[in-house]
Amino acid sequence: MKKKIILLGCTGSIGTTAIQAIRDSKLDVQVVGISAHSNQDSLFNLASELGCNAVCLTGKACPPCTSICTYSFFSGLSEMLASLEADIVLNAIAGFDGLQASLLSLKHGFDLALANKESVVCAGSFLFDYARENHRSIIPVDSEHSAISELLKKRDPLEVDTLILTGSGGPFRTLPHEQFSSITVEQALNHPTWNMGKKITIDSATLANKALEVIEASYLFSFPANKIEVVIHPQSIVHSMIRLKDGAVYAQLGNPDMTLPIVNALQQDSVNLVKPLDFSMLSLTFEKPDIQRFPLLGLAFTILERKGSSALAFNAADEVAVHAFLDKRCSYQEMIGVVQKTLERKWEQTPSSFTETLALDAEARKLARSFL
Ligand code: NDP
Ligand code: MG
């Protein structure tokens, strides 16, 4: 019998890649429920294509439909999750709001294939305990974390010394610092190797995405800041690596395609997921990240040392700043400044529940907005 999945954020970049994998018969699952935020037409079209029983629009009222159950807002998402039988939820919602969807999925008894890194960054202090209490697993979908999780399989964790996350370096990897003040939104949206949603694309240009991923890796694999490294690898062929205590390094390589981590999180033993690498065509390079030009990456390591709610404040300030930059209400440099200034406060309280997380997030957003 086919595995049953619920796909949240089905209209986005990750959602679309997952659905394309089903169309290409790389992912053999039955999608029983889907959500989008406001893209109603695509939601209904996808429901009819995939033969879903239920749909939810989390951002506005969903009109009724004779052939499927429709739900609205996050209260409706909770009702939809309560009503469905499934094996796993793929959470491909963008941003902090994805956390609520992660918690609801675990509460309603589903394993969680997690693309929404914000869930881990903002609620890492209690999310994994919550999953354990509900006897559910969290499987990373972020490509670096998926690679590391594959590399750690069947290996004694005590053998592993360091996690090495790779990053493309984004579109401004070689841009001199003096020119950062004239960076435009269009330039920042032009990512060299990956095609993704707008928020994560801007984060990839500032390396805030790599900062979020360092924090995500620390929570997911229980590694401290001094055991996580970042290496810039512009070709995005090496998805990430682990260094063992004997010094040997193991890596996962593949073309930059999210099909691999998405499908690996949802089913085992797949074949021919991505195009095999032609090594004769490859020229792989690696360099040290420049945290002078990309200070948000450096901030991630400070955040991990500080603990408390710094990671949550970083995410909140970054969401506020990125949306202001996308709306052309601030410059690239001002966007970075908003995050740095928000993190000047101590953020000592460690959240232990969703309610506390919401309150701290609202506080951080308010402070971040005051810098715009
Ligand atoms: P997109 O912006 O492309 O898609 C986001 C999806 O979430 C859409 O379906 C959107 O619906 C829905 N959505 C947007 N806002 C909300 C909200 N407030 N509440 C509920 N649903 C919402 O994002 P991506 O697919 O690029 O990214 C999704 C997540 O995966 C992010 O956390 C990102 O960091 C992570 N990720 C993405 C990668 C990628 O390659 N794209 C790689 C690794 C991780 P609608 O269309 O109706 O607005
Ligand atoms: Mg990633």
Side-chain angles (χ1 to χ4, degrees):
M1 209 167 67
K2 281 191 188 186
K3 211 169 180 179
K4 289 182 180 166
I5 74 160
I6 298 166
L7 173 45
L8 307 181
C10 68
T11 47
S13 159
I14 292 280
T16 303
T17 306
I19 291 165
Q20 192 56 44
I22 297 172
R23 291 185 187 122
D24 295 342
S25 308
K26 291 177 175 175
L27 180 57
D28 189 24
V29 292
Q30 184 189 347
V31 183
V32 294
I34 53 177
S35 85
H37 200 52
S38 54
N39 199 339
Q40 183 183 314
D41 292 347
S42 298
L43 182 75
F44 279 102
N45 289 339
L46 288 170
S48 111
E49 179 190 342
L50 297 165
C52 296
N53 314 347
V55 299
C56 180
L57 264 183
T58 44
K60 60 182 191 186
C62 190
C65 172
T66 46
S67 52
I68 38 175
C69 302
T70 63
Y71 299 88
S72 309
F73 307 108
F74 274 85
S75 52
L77 182 67
S78 183
E79 288 169 34
M80 180 175 96
L81 291 170
S83 75
L84 290 174
E85 269 185 36
D87 299 289
I88 190 162
V89 170
L90 170 57
N91 183 356
I93 289 176
F96 177 76
D97 287 341
L99 169 60
Q100 194 177 350
S102 290
L103 295 170
L104 286 172
S105 303
L106 294 169
K107 178 181 153 189
H108 289 293
F110 303 113
D111 287 336
L112 187 58
L114 192 52
N116 180 265
K117 62 190 82 182
E118 296 85 350
S119 294
V120 178
V121 169
C122 301
S125 52
F126 64 91
L127 180 72
F128 297 94
D129 286 340
Y130 191 71
R132 267 187 293 275
E133 282 161 24
N134 287 282
H135 311 287
R136 293 295 136 208
S137 332
I138 296 178
I139 305 124
V141 171
D142 212 348
S143 63
E144 296 77 1
H145 308 75
S146 165
I148 289 174
S149 133
E150 294 292 328
L151 291 164
L152 292 175
K153 268 184 193 165
K154 300 193 187 111
R155 199 178 280 288
D156 180 352
L158 295 173
E159 271 185 283
V160 184
D161 185 72
T162 312
L163 308 180
I164 307 169
L165 301 182
T166 51
S168 71
F172 309 126
R173 180 176 61 84
T174 57
L175 190 75
H177 203 206
E178 317 79 80
Q179 293 179 30
F180 275 40
S181 52
S182 56
I183 288 174
T184 63
V185 171
E186 292 70 25
Q187 288 168 329
L189 282 174
N190 189 17
H191 194 273
T193 49
W194 294 97
N195 186 7
M196 310 174 285
K198 281 188 181 175
K199 162 70 170 51
I200 185 173
T201 304
I202 300 297
D203 282 345
S204 300
T206 62
L207 298 201
N209 182 49
K210 212 44 60 183
L212 294 169
E213 291 182 353
V214 166
I215 300 165
E216 186 186 7
S218 176
Y219 279 124
L220 273 169
F221 305 113
S222 303
F223 271 63
N226 63 353
K227 292 291 175 190
I228 302 174
E229 289 174 17
V230 173
V231 63
I232 299 300
H233 166 48
Q235 299 79 23
S236 301
I237 295 289
V238 178
H239 299 323
S240 273
M241 305 179 257
I242 56 170
R243 186 187 297 111
L244 301 193
K245 293 210 165 121
D246 63 9
V249 172
Y250 292 78
Q252 186 201 61
L253 278 73
N255 286 304
D257 181 344
M258 286 305 292
T259 307
L260 184 76
I262 293 170
V263 175
N264 274 344
L266 297 169
Q267 74 186 19
Q268 316 243 303
D269 306 322
S270 303
V271 285
N272 299 331
L273 277 188
V274 283
K275 230 170 84 196
L277 285 177
D278 177 354
F279 283 93
S280 67
M281 300 299 286
L282 288 180
S283 171
L284 305 184
T285 58
F286 300 91
E287 51 195 72
K288 225 177 135 157
D290 180 351
I291 56 168
Q292 302 305 323
R293 285 186 306 136
F294 298 101
L296 297 189
L297 177 57
L299 204 47
F301 293 91
T302 318
I303 285 169
L304 284 180
E305 303 286 356
R306 279 167 51 177
K307 300 205 169 64
S309 41
S310 308
L312 189 162
F314 177 89
N315 181 72
D318 185 57
E319 284 192 14
V320 167
V322 170
H323 287 114
F325 176 66
L326 281 170
D327 295 347
K328 305 197 174 171
R329 284 183 283 118
C330 75
S331 69
Y332 177 97
Q333 295 289 57
E334 283 162 347
M335 166 170 66
I336 306 294
V338 166
V339 182
Q340 287 174 313
K341 283 181 221 155
T342 306
L343 268 290
E344 279 167 15
R345 236 185 70 177
K346 284 202 165 53
W347 299 105
E348 278 168 336
Q349 189 193 339
T350 304
S352 57
S353 66
F354 181 55
T355 314
E356 282 176 23
T357 310
L358 269 185
L360 286 160
D361 174 78
E363 211 176 311
R365 276 170 207 268
K366 192 171 165 207
L367 183 61
R369 278 190 210 105
S370 73
F371 299 126
L372 277 168

